[in-house]
Amino acid sequence: MSIIKAAIVDDEVRNIHILRNILENYCKDVKVIGEAQNIHEAAEMIKNNPIDVLFLDIEMPPHNGFQLLEMFPILNFEVIFITAFQEYALQAIKFAALDYLLKPIKVSEVEDALEKVKKSKKGRLNELASILKDYVKNNDNAFSKIVIPVNDGYNVIDLKDIIYCEAFDSYTKIQLINNVSHLISKSLKEYEEMLSDKGFYRVHKSFLINIHHIVKIIKGLGTAVVMSDQKNIPISSRKKDEFFTQLKGVINL
């Protein structure tokens, strides 16, 4: 088994020691080759010591972890973010399908994150980091893409190409234009939280739809919408009034 070369960047020495101890005692195929407490030390360390994965704290006043990533035009290592919970950061990370650890750090979560690193394509962060930077620099409404995992890596998807998301137990089917779909190991609720202010609406316990892909509204005892792929999606009775109110702001009814 090849050794994973890791570096830790955190402005608090205590946090570095905790994570290093976890890696040394529970992750035998990981070698910590460097540590830093600010982004400038970190940039120098990474340039001089090639790594496979970077454990990166998000908040390091007066800087943040995203600024460190911007110092590298090409990222040929994976990143696992560390945060004590910053809502904007977690939202951005969810959009970009990046891995993160919440403080206090748990051994099992470190192990799970490293398993993802082993399975991922090296350097896949290049495109994801670009999306993440856009999210941080712009407001939510300017954000127009998400990244989803697929068998051979990650796909970057325009939100306008998503017709609807459908729940399948703890999984979500994302239906795209051109008869393309993906089954993702995230709940529909997670996608609802990410997309509810991007023109998507949860019309039913099993469906989150892109209202811009509605081509017909069927009224009556069983109110439903027909989507651009001709899928007939029911609107739950308790959602109906709220849905039509929201729809009026986008479509002339």
Side-chain angles (χ1 to χ4, degrees):
M1 181 182 295
S2 60
I3 296 297
I4 297 173
K5 292 179 289 186
I8 303 171
V9 178
D10 195 310
D11 62 336
E12 297 184 28
V13 175
R14 179 176 176 273
N15 292 332
I16 291 177
H17 288 170
I18 290 172
L19 181 54
R20 186 180 64 209
N21 287 337
I22 290 175
L23 293 172
E24 289 177 349
N25 293 315
Y26 296 93
C27 307
K28 300 302 183 183
D29 53 347
V30 176
K31 180 180 180 181
V32 179
I33 65 168
E35 302 166 351
Q37 289 182 256
N38 62 65
I39 66 171
H40 301 294
E41 290 177 3
E44 193 66 24
M45 172 185 67
I46 295 168
K47 287 174 184 175
N48 295 325
N49 300 279
I51 60 173
D52 299 306
V53 60
L54 174 65
F55 289 87
L56 178 60
D57 189 16
I58 292 177
E59 294 297 333
M60 296 180 288
H63 303 108
N64 63 55
F66 303 127
Q67 290 170 298
L68 172 61
L69 297 183
E70 289 177 346
M71 295 179 181
F72 294 87
I74 296 177
L75 295 171
N76 57 1
F77 51 85
E78 301 295 335
V79 173
I80 298 174
F81 283 108
I82 305 169
T83 177
F85 192 80
Q86 288 286 335
E87 185 57 38
Y88 82 89
L90 291 185
Q91 185 75 344
I93 292 165
K94 285 180 182 178
F95 266 108
L98 302 174
D99 302 320
Y100 64 91
L101 302 172
L102 284 177
K103 298 177 183 178
I105 297 172
K106 298 180 177 64
V107 173
S108 60
E109 292 175 354
V110 174
E111 292 173 332
D112 289 344
L114 285 169
E115 280 301 312
K116 294 178 184 177
V117 168
K118 295 174 188 176
K119 295 176 182 177
S120 70
K121 284 187 171 182
K122 188 162 185 172
R124 55 101 177 177
L125 193 61
N126 290 308
E127 192 167 17
L128 307 192
S130 175
I131 292 172
L132 190 58
K133 291 171 191 174
D134 287 343
Y135 181 93
V136 174
K137 290 178 180 177
N138 298 302
N139 58 48
D140 285 354
N141 291 329
F143 198 82
S144 61
K145 296 180 180 181
I146 60 171
V147 178
I148 64 170
V150 291
N151 289 336
D152 60 348
Y154 291 80
N155 283 357
V156 180
I157 294 176
D158 282 318
L159 297 185
K160 63 181 176 58
D161 292 339
I162 301 175
I163 302 174
Y164 62 85
C165 302
E166 182 178 1
F168 284 93
D169 296 323
S170 59
Y171 289 78
T172 297
K173 173 188 173 185
I174 298 180
Q175 183 63 50
L176 306 175
I177 59 174
N178 300 323
N179 201 32
V180 175
S181 65
H182 299 284
L183 191 63
I184 311 299
S185 59
K186 285 186 178 181
S187 68
L188 188 61
K189 181 175 176 57
E190 288 185 71
Y191 282 104
E192 180 184 11
E193 291 172 351
M194 281 192 280
L195 302 175
S196 60
D197 61 348
K198 306 292 187 299
F200 288 75
Y201 189 82
R202 183 85 173 261
V203 295
H204 185 276
K205 66 179 182 179
S206 298
F207 291 98
L208 175 72
I209 68 169
N210 184 343
I211 60 180
H212 297 287
H213 276 278
I214 297 173
V215 297
K216 185 177 181 180
I217 299 170
I218 303 170
K219 291 187 175 182
L221 292 177
T223 304
V225 290
V226 180
M227 307 303 291
S228 59
D229 66 343
Q230 300 306 306
K231 173 77 170 180
N232 190 312
I233 294 178
I235 302 173
S236 67
S237 56
R238 66 184 184 85
K239 291 275 191 176
K240 187 161 54 176
D241 291 341
E242 181 182 319
F243 171 64
F244 282 119
T245 298
Q246 177 163 326
L247 204 58
K248 287 177 181 177
V250 181
I251 302 173
N252 291 324
L253 294 178

